[in-house]
Amino acid sequence: MVGASAAAALAAVPSAAGAAPARTGEPVLAKVAFTVNGQRRELDLDTRTSLLDAAREHLHLTGSKKGCDHGQCGACTMIVDGRRINACLTLAIMHQGSEITTIEGLGQPDALHPMQAAFVKHDGYQCGYCTPGQICSGVAVLDEIKAGIPSHVTADLTAPPAVTEAEIRERMSGNICRCGAYSNIVEAVTEVAGTQGTRRRA
């Protein structure tokens, strides 16, 4: 009975029944254009290429790290169209026309972003592997709070969220630091929040 059903299905779609077998192992390429760190970039990519691999392997922006490749550590965090994402979990072709900021676009050694400078001041890193993702995430966290986006620990959903240690820890919880520099990271983010004038609650 199953065989008869399969034969009937093939007969109903003659083009599928007579089609040549698909050639396996050959990538399907697509042209992708987006703005990375203020510069328009165009790439011909295998459609299976993640945004992380596009940045690292094709644009040679190696600041964003491949930690777990499963979206569990946050080392690959980038800011895309104003929102932080795990670049290992998204395909590059999904971001046609997007504005993408990697750690290289936030600041350079001679002109650090305030978050980068705060991480240095508060020793918010040890091995440094997770640091680019931590910094990108920290910048986006403050933008989320400023935009009034609540988190799981926001107590009053009718009031603007405030920069508290609980808020920072909750929002940064997707960025893993295997060296355990969490307290220093919280201090760095808190300092930048203060200099930006983000509303704080005691």
Side-chain angles (χ1 to χ4, degrees):
M1 186 67 176
V2 174
S5 298
L10 286 175
V13 190
S15 59
R23 299 177 66 180
T24 59
E26 293 188 3
V28 177
L29 301 180
K31 188 174 292 295
V32 184
F34 33 49
T35 301
V36 182
N37 300 331
Q39 183 179 358
R40 182 172 173 81
R41 307 298 296 264
E42 294 187 4
L43 299 171
D44 288 308
L45 296 174
D46 184 328
T47 55
R48 300 166 294 183
T49 304
S50 70
L51 181 59
L52 176 62
D53 285 340
R56 288 182 57 83
E57 306 299 331
H58 297 270
L59 299 178
H60 308 294
L61 297 171
T62 56
S64 303
K65 298 297 188 278
K66 182 178 286 194
C68 66
D69 217 21
H70 287 83
Q72 297 175 344
C73 73
C76 65
T77 303
M78 297 179 188
I79 302 171
V80 178
D81 295 327
R83 299 181 64 184
R84 57 187 170 136
I85 65 170
N86 291 327
C88 73
L89 290 184
T90 186
L91 297 175
I93 60 171
M94 297 170 63
H95 299 286
Q96 180 77 21
S98 289
E99 294 273 349
I100 300 166
T101 302
T102 68
I103 189 66
E104 292 90 347
L106 284 180
Q108 295 295 321
D110 58 344
L112 294 178
H113 184 281
M115 190 67 74
Q116 293 172 313
F119 264 67
V120 172
K121 176 181 176 180
H122 292 279
D123 197 21
Y125 57 88
Q126 288 185 36
C127 78
Y129 194 85
C130 73
T131 306
Q134 298 274 5
I135 290 174
C136 285
S137 192
V139 169
V141 158
L142 296 186
D143 288 341
E144 290 168 9
I145 294 174
K146 194 175 294 184
I149 300 171
S151 78
H152 180 69
V153 299
T154 303
D156 185 357
L157 298 182
T158 64
V163 179
T164 63
E165 181 174 327
E167 283 282 0
I168 293 172
R169 287 184 178 276
E170 168 63 22
R171 293 171 190 262
M172 294 289 291
S173 62
N175 290 84
I176 305 302
C177 174
R178 292 174 175 86
C179 299
Y182 296 113
S183 295
N184 298 352
I185 290 168
V186 171
E187 290 176 3
V189 176
T190 301
E191 176 174 303
V192 177
T195 61
Q196 290 181 348
T198 305
R199 177 176 173 270
R200 297 183 61 189
R201 179 186 305 154

PDB file of all heavy atoms in Angstrom, residues 144-145 147-157 159-161 167 171:
ATOM      1  N   GLU A 144      19.279  48.842  25.289  1.00  0.00           N
ATOM      2  CA  GLU A 144      17.984  48.203  25.594  1.00  0.00           C
ATOM      3  C   GLU A 144      17.320  48.866  26.799  1.00  0.00           C
ATOM      4  O   GLU A 144      16.119  49.152  26.786  1.00  0.00           O
ATOM      5  CB  GLU A 144      18.193  46.717  25.878  1.00  0.00           C
ATOM      6  CG  GLU A 144      18.585  45.886  24.680  1.00  0.00           C
ATOM      7  CD  GLU A 144      19.067  44.498  25.059  1.00  0.00           C
ATOM      8  OE1 GLU A 144      18.936  44.114  26.241  1.00  0.00           O
ATOM      9  OE2 GLU A 144      19.584  43.797  24.168  1.00  0.00           O
ATOM     10  N   ILE A 145      18.118  49.100  27.834  1.00  0.00           N
ATOM     11  CA  ILE A 145      17.572  49.732  29.040  1.00  0.00           C
ATOM     12  C   ILE A 145      17.103  51.147  28.715  1.00  0.00           C
ATOM     13  O   ILE A 145      16.021  51.580  29.129  1.00  0.00           O
ATOM     14  CB  ILE A 145      18.615  49.736  30.170  1.00  0.00           C
ATOM     15  CG1 ILE A 145      18.912  48.303  30.610  1.00  0.00           C
ATOM     16  CG2 ILE A 145      18.127  50.568  31.357  1.00  0.00           C
ATOM     17  CD1 ILE A 145      20.032  48.178  31.630  1.00  0.00           C
ATOM     18  N   ALA A 147      16.056  52.225  25.950  1.00  0.00           N
ATOM     19  CA  ALA A 147      14.852  52.145  25.120  1.00  0.00           C
ATOM     20  C   ALA A 147      13.628  51.673  25.902  1.00  0.00           C
ATOM     21  O   ALA A 147      12.528  51.598  25.353  1.00  0.00           O
ATOM     22  CB  ALA A 147      15.104  51.212  23.936  1.00  0.00           C
ATOM     23  N   GLY A 148      13.832  51.317  27.173  1.00  0.00           N
ATOM     24  CA  GLY A 148      12.705  50.900  27.997  1.00  0.00           C
ATOM     25  C   GLY A 148      12.296  49.451  27.843  1.00  0.00           C
ATOM     26  O   GLY A 148      11.192  49.069  28.226  1.00  0.00           O
ATOM     27  N   ILE A 149      13.178  48.634  27.298  1.00  0.00           N
ATOM     28  CA  ILE A 149      12.876  47.220  27.100  1.00  0.00           C
ATOM     29  C   ILE A 149      13.088  46.479  28.416  1.00  0.00           C
ATOM     30  O   ILE A 149      14.196  46.493  28.957  1.00  0.00           O
ATOM     31  CB  ILE A 149      13.764  46.621  25.996  1.00  0.00           C
ATOM     32  CG1 ILE A 149      13.531  47.358  24.681  1.00  0.00           C
ATOM     33  CG2 ILE A 149      13.502  45.124  25.840  1.00  0.00           C
ATOM     34  CD1 ILE A 149      14.516  46.990  23.596  1.00  0.00           C
ATOM     35  N   PRO A 150      12.056  45.831  28.954  1.00  0.00           N
ATOM     36  CA  PRO A 150      12.208  45.149  30.246  1.00  0.00           C
ATOM     37  C   PRO A 150      12.949  43.829  30.108  1.00  0.00           C
ATOM     38  O   PRO A 150      13.064  43.270  29.009  1.00  0.00           O
ATOM     39  CB  PRO A 150      10.764  44.926  30.697  1.00  0.00           C
ATOM     40  CG  PRO A 150       9.998  44.811  29.414  1.00  0.00           C
ATOM     41  CD  PRO A 150      10.684  45.743  28.438  1.00  0.00           C
ATOM     42  N   SER A 151      13.442  43.329  31.212  1.00  0.00           N
ATOM     43  CA  SER A 151      14.069  42.013  31.252  1.00  0.00           C
ATOM     44  C   SER A 151      13.274  41.123  32.199  1.00  0.00           C
ATOM     45  O   SER A 151      12.270  41.542  32.770  1.00  0.00           O
ATOM     46  CB  SER A 151      15.519  42.119  31.739  1.00  0.00           C
ATOM     47  OG  SER A 151      15.562  42.276  33.149  1.00  0.00           O
ATOM     48  N   HIS A 152      13.757  39.913  32.396  1.00  0.00           N
ATOM     49  CA  HIS A 152      13.080  38.972  33.284  1.00  0.00           C
ATOM     50  C   HIS A 152      13.037  39.461  34.730  1.00  0.00           C
ATOM     51  O   HIS A 152      12.130  39.100  35.483  1.00  0.00           O
ATOM     52  CB  HIS A 152      13.778  37.612  33.219  1.00  0.00           C
ATOM     53  CG  HIS A 152      13.172  36.560  34.091  1.00  0.00           C
ATOM     54  ND1 HIS A 152      11.929  36.017  33.849  1.00  0.00           N
ATOM     55  CD2 HIS A 152      13.627  35.973  35.226  1.00  0.00           C
ATOM     56  CE1 HIS A 152      11.644  35.133  34.790  1.00  0.00           C
ATOM     57  NE2 HIS A 152      12.653  35.078  35.635  1.00  0.00           N
ATOM     58  N   VAL A 153      14.002  40.285  35.116  1.00  0.00           N
ATOM     59  CA  VAL A 153      14.046  40.734  36.511  1.00  0.00           C
ATOM     60  C   VAL A 153      13.486  42.140  36.706  1.00  0.00           C
ATOM     61  O   VAL A 153      13.523  42.670  37.819  1.00  0.00           O
ATOM     62  CB  VAL A 153      15.491  40.680  37.074  1.00  0.00           C
ATOM     63  CG1 VAL A 153      16.024  39.263  37.033  1.00  0.00           C
ATOM     64  CG2 VAL A 153      16.400  41.646  36.334  1.00  0.00           C
ATOM     65  N   THR A 154      12.978  42.753  35.658  1.00  0.00           N
ATOM     66  CA  THR A 154      12.389  44.086  35.802  1.00  0.00           C
ATOM     67  C   THR A 154      11.134  43.980  36.661  1.00  0.00           C
ATOM     68  O   THR A 154      10.169  43.307  36.284  1.00  0.00           O
ATOM     69  CB  THR A 154      12.041  44.684  34.422  1.00  0.00           C
ATOM     70  OG1 THR A 154      13.225  44.723  33.614  1.00  0.00           O
ATOM     71  CG2 THR A 154      11.487  46.093  34.569  1.00  0.00           C
ATOM     72  N   ALA A 155      11.154  44.651  37.801  1.00  0.00           N
ATOM     73  CA  ALA A 155      10.060  44.500  38.770  1.00  0.00           C
ATOM     74  C   ALA A 155       8.813  45.276  38.365  1.00  0.00           C
ATOM     75  O   ALA A 155       7.689  44.796  38.532  1.00  0.00           O
ATOM     76  CB  ALA A 155      10.525  44.952  40.146  1.00  0.00           C
ATOM     77  N   ASP A 156       8.983  46.479  37.836  1.00  0.00           N
ATOM     78  CA  ASP A 156       7.848  47.345  37.502  1.00  0.00           C
ATOM     79  C   ASP A 156       7.808  47.559  35.998  1.00  0.00           C
ATOM     80  O   ASP A 156       8.602  48.315  35.446  1.00  0.00           O
ATOM     81  CB  ASP A 156       7.993  48.676  38.245  1.00  0.00           C
ATOM     82  CG  ASP A 156       6.782  49.587  38.045  1.00  0.00           C
ATOM     83  OD1 ASP A 156       5.863  49.205  37.293  1.00  0.00           O
ATOM     84  OD2 ASP A 156       6.768  50.676  38.655  1.00  0.00           O
ATOM     85  N   LEU A 157       6.860  46.906  35.341  1.00  0.00           N
ATOM     86  CA  LEU A 157       6.776  47.001  33.888  1.00  0.00           C
ATOM     87  C   LEU A 157       6.131  48.300  33.427  1.00  0.00           C
ATOM     88  O   LEU A 157       6.088  48.577  32.225  1.00  0.00           O
ATOM     89  CB  LEU A 157       5.994  45.808  33.334  1.00  0.00           C
ATOM     90  CG  LEU A 157       6.618  44.432  33.591  1.00  0.00           C
ATOM     91  CD1 LEU A 157       5.786  43.337  32.958  1.00  0.00           C
ATOM     92  CD2 LEU A 157       8.041  44.377  33.058  1.00  0.00           C
ATOM     93  N   ALA A 159       7.194  51.260  34.637  1.00  0.00           N
ATOM     94  CA  ALA A 159       8.230  52.286  34.782  1.00  0.00           C
ATOM     95  C   ALA A 159       9.428  51.934  33.906  1.00  0.00           C
ATOM     96  O   ALA A 159       9.651  50.765  33.594  1.00  0.00           O
ATOM     97  CB  ALA A 159       8.662  52.394  36.243  1.00  0.00           C
ATOM     98  N   PRO A 160      10.181  52.943  33.505  1.00  0.00           N
ATOM     99  CA  PRO A 160      11.385  52.652  32.719  1.00  0.00           C
ATOM    100  C   PRO A 160      12.333  51.767  33.507  1.00  0.00           C
ATOM    101  O   PRO A 160      12.524  51.985  34.707  1.00  0.00           O
ATOM    102  CB  PRO A 160      11.993  54.040  32.478  1.00  0.00           C
ATOM    103  CG  PRO A 160      10.877  55.004  32.693  1.00  0.00           C
ATOM    104  CD  PRO A 160       9.987  54.382  33.723  1.00  0.00           C
ATOM    105  N   PRO A 161      12.936  50.758  32.878  1.00  0.00           N
ATOM    106  CA  PRO A 161      13.897  49.916  33.602  1.00  0.00           C
ATOM    107  C   PRO A 161      15.118  50.734  34.008  1.00  0.00           C
ATOM    108  O   PRO A 161      15.481  51.703  33.348  1.00  0.00           O
ATOM    109  CB  PRO A 161      14.260  48.819  32.591  1.00  0.00           C
ATOM    110  CG  PRO A 161      13.888  49.369  31.264  1.00  0.00           C
ATOM    111  CD  PRO A 161      12.755  50.329  31.486  1.00  0.00           C
ATOM    112  N   GLU A 167      19.776  43.819  36.916  1.00  0.00           N
ATOM    113  CA  GLU A 167      19.433  43.992  35.499  1.00  0.00           C
ATOM    114  C   GLU A 167      20.624  43.649  34.610  1.00  0.00           C
ATOM    115  O   GLU A 167      20.492  42.948  33.607  1.00  0.00           O
ATOM    116  CB  GLU A 167      18.974  45.426  35.229  1.00  0.00           C
ATOM    117  CG  GLU A 167      17.571  45.743  35.684  1.00  0.00           C
ATOM    118  CD  GLU A 167      16.493  45.217  34.736  1.00  0.00           C
ATOM    119  OE1 GLU A 167      16.837  44.603  33.711  1.00  0.00           O
ATOM    120  OE2 GLU A 167      15.317  45.406  35.039  1.00  0.00           O
ATOM    121  N   ARG A 171      20.670  40.535  31.972  1.00  0.00           N
ATOM    122  CA  ARG A 171      20.779  40.819  30.538  1.00  0.00           C
ATOM    123  C   ARG A 171      22.088  40.300  29.944  1.00  0.00           C
ATOM    124  O   ARG A 171      22.143  39.971  28.753  1.00  0.00           O
ATOM    125  CB  ARG A 171      20.640  42.324  30.300  1.00  0.00           C
ATOM    126  CG  ARG A 171      19.244  42.860  30.626  1.00  0.00           C
ATOM    127  CD  ARG A 171      19.215  44.380  30.581  1.00  0.00           C
ATOM    128  NE  ARG A 171      17.976  44.916  31.102  1.00  0.00           N
ATOM    129  CZ  ARG A 171      16.934  45.300  30.341  1.00  0.00           C
ATOM    130  NH1 ARG A 171      16.998  45.182  29.031  1.00  0.00           N
ATOM    131  NH2 ARG A 171      15.845  45.789  30.904  1.00  0.00           N
TER     132      ARG A 171
END
